[in-house]
Amino acid sequence: MSLEHRSGCPINLALEVFGDKWSLIVIRDIMFGNRRHFNELLAGSDEGIASNVLADRLQRLVGLHMLSRAPDPSHKQKVVYSLTEPAIQLVPVLAHLGAWGVRHLPTSRELSVRAELLERGGPEFWDRFMDELREQHLGIPRPLGVPSAFAELRAAYEAELARA
Amino acid sequence: MSLEHRSGCPINLALEVFGDKWSLIVIRDIMFGNRRHFNELLAGSDEGIASNVLADRLQRLVGLHMLSRAPDPSHKQKVVYSLTEPAIQLVPVLAHLGAWGVRHLPTSRELSVRAELLERGGPEFWDRFMDELREQHLGIPRPLGVPSAFAELRAAYEAELARA
DNA sequence: CTAACCAGTTGTAATTTGCAATTAGTTGGC
DNA sequence: GCCAACTAATTGCAAATTACAACTGGTTAG
């Protein structure tokens, strides 16, 4: 994909991966929305991504080893996209980015709830969530008896929806 | 700048501000490189930003209230760009993003040192650095007797340069 | 059988971005 | 007071990205 880099700066290299309007949106929807199929990502996107842009970003992120792609055993035509370990480790970055957005940009109330919960939860909550992603996406079993961070995020969002 | 947003999601809105290849590079150079003038940002950029792109991003970031622009009293032609409080609060985001980049991308050793120091320092170090940015960019005096985080970052970088 | 679904692809137009050269005004050295 | 270098941009053109709509070859549920 990119054999020549603009510089070896960590922030620059991260921007070479995610420095566009759509890549992180795709990661976000897979990570927090558990959207694993092309159509889920296409139709479920609040931002209305175009099918060719989605196809391009999926292919690109697979090439950069941020996502992996596998046929769906239960449906010969479907393809399942999974987060790789590097992508899972974006959780703290996205948590901080979301928290910053809530503080400084005109976010909608119902979509802010999860970002706020993610921020309040702090590193312990992020670790719990990342273990859950490793289970869902990498097939690595997570510790028994630990409550689901994903369920808490979902519950907070549903509760906020019901309040309105 | 953008009266219509794709969605009210915090991450999406943050991407509408920084979702391109250059905006965060500019912020990074002002924040960590203390580059305050157009030419410093243009010539000092490792990544080689073009002058029209730099001009566009500066204007855009000023419009979005991430930067402020003021004439330089000591030189009638110069303009000084400063971080605003929202931009200063990106420090934890950039710290996490840099740490992620060091871990998962082919960063160069000398440019990684600062990111590693920034990560190891944790929230207390970030707060110290942000207070220093508030002094430099907003004119808010910082607590007396607190050592300079900026100097520590600079020293770590110089030391690594000397080692090679 | 057939209609809906699946992950894309193709074509085209509009928009955005990048690069090189240039600009009008300012400054410092002599 | 002259001139070369500096300053923050701007202009013209090429290239890349994005949006929108239609379409594809195969799959599946009823």
Side-chain angles (χ1 to χ4, degrees):
Chain A
M1 180 81 15
S2 46
L3 289 186
E4 41 188 323
H5 298 292
R6 300 190 299 187
S7 85
C9 166
I11 290 175
N12 172 61
L13 289 170
L15 283 176
E16 289 186 20
V17 176
F18 300 113
D20 72 87
K21 293 234 181 303
W22 292 111
S23 294
L24 269 188
I25 293 287
V26 172
I27 300 272
R28 178 204 65 185
D29 284 347
I30 297 177
M31 185 177 281
F32 299 106
N34 200 30
R35 308 222 164 95
R36 308 293 295 274
H37 304 294
F38 190 93
N39 261 7
E40 290 176 339
L41 289 163
L42 185 66
S45 160
D46 284 346
E47 291 84 12
I49 191 170
S51 64
N52 59 341
V53 176
L54 176 58
D56 177 84
R57 291 309 182 280
L58 287 171
Q59 194 180 337
R60 186 181 135 82
L61 290 169
V62 168
L64 292 169
H65 305 107
M66 296 298 140
L67 298 178
S68 66
R69 197 191 110 111
D72 186 335
S74 74
H75 191 298
K76 276 181 191 164
Q77 208 169 0
K78 281 187 181 174
V79 167
V80 182
Y81 290 96
S82 301
L83 300 173
T84 62
E85 178 62 25
I88 290 171
Q89 291 187 20
L90 285 171
V91 166
V93 178
L94 291 176
H96 271 283
L97 187 64
W100 181 88
V102 167
R103 232 171 249 119
H104 299 289
L105 300 172
T107 55
S108 71
R109 182 80 199 98
E110 70 271 21
L111 291 175
S112 301
V113 177
R114 280 178 293 196
E116 285 164 356
L117 179 54
L118 205 56
E119 183 187 17
R120 271 203 311 280
E124 320 86 56
F125 186 80
W126 304 340
D127 285 341
R128 197 144 57 83
F129 185 51
M130 286 164 71
D131 277 341
E132 214 162 335
L133 291 174
R134 288 187 186 99
E135 178 168 75
Q136 291 172 8
H137 293 259
L138 306 177
I140 299 173
R142 66 193 174 99
L144 295 169
V146 179
S148 162
F150 194 85
E152 288 178 36
L153 286 171
R154 183 186 208 86
Y157 177 58
E158 306 279 344
E160 183 59 33
L161 276 188
R163 242 179 47 82
Chain B
M1 178 81 19
S2 47
L3 287 185
E4 41 188 325
H5 297 292
R6 300 190 300 186
S7 84
C9 166
I11 289 175
N12 172 61
L13 290 170
L15 283 176
E16 289 186 20
V17 176
F18 300 112
D20 73 270
K21 293 231 180 305
W22 292 110
S23 294
L24 269 188
I25 293 287
V26 172
I27 299 273
R28 178 204 64 183
D29 284 347
I30 297 178
M31 185 177 280
F32 299 105
N34 199 30
R35 308 220 165 93
R36 310 293 295 273
H37 303 295
F38 190 92
N39 262 6
E40 290 175 339
L41 289 163
L42 185 66
S45 160
D46 284 345
E47 291 82 14
I49 191 170
S51 64
N52 63 336
V53 177
L54 176 58
D56 177 85
R57 291 309 183 283
L58 286 171
Q59 193 179 338
R60 188 181 133 82
L61 289 170
V62 168
L64 291 168
H65 306 292
M66 298 297 140
L67 298 178
S68 66
R69 197 190 111 112
D72 186 335
S74 73
H75 189 301
K76 274 182 191 163
Q77 207 169 354
K78 280 189 181 173
V79 168
V80 181
Y81 290 97
S82 302
L83 299 172
T84 63
E85 178 63 24
I88 290 172
Q89 292 187 20
L90 285 172
V91 167
V93 178
L94 290 177
H96 272 282
L97 187 64
W100 182 89
V102 168
R103 233 171 249 120
H104 299 289
L105 300 173
T107 55
S108 70
R109 183 78 199 99
E110 71 270 21
L111 291 174
S112 301
V113 176
R114 280 177 293 196
E116 286 164 357
L117 178 56
L118 205 57
E119 184 187 17
R120 272 203 310 281
E124 320 84 56
F125 186 80
W126 304 340
D127 284 341
R128 198 143 56 82
F129 185 51
M130 287 165 70
D131 276 341
E132 215 162 334
L133 291 174
R134 287 188 187 99
E135 180 169 72
Q136 291 172 8
H137 293 260
L138 306 177
I140 300 173
R142 66 193 173 97
L144 295 169
V146 180
S148 162
F150 195 84
E152 289 179 36
L153 287 171
R154 183 186 209 87
Y157 178 58
E158 306 279 345
E160 184 57 33
L161 276 189
R163 241 178 48 82

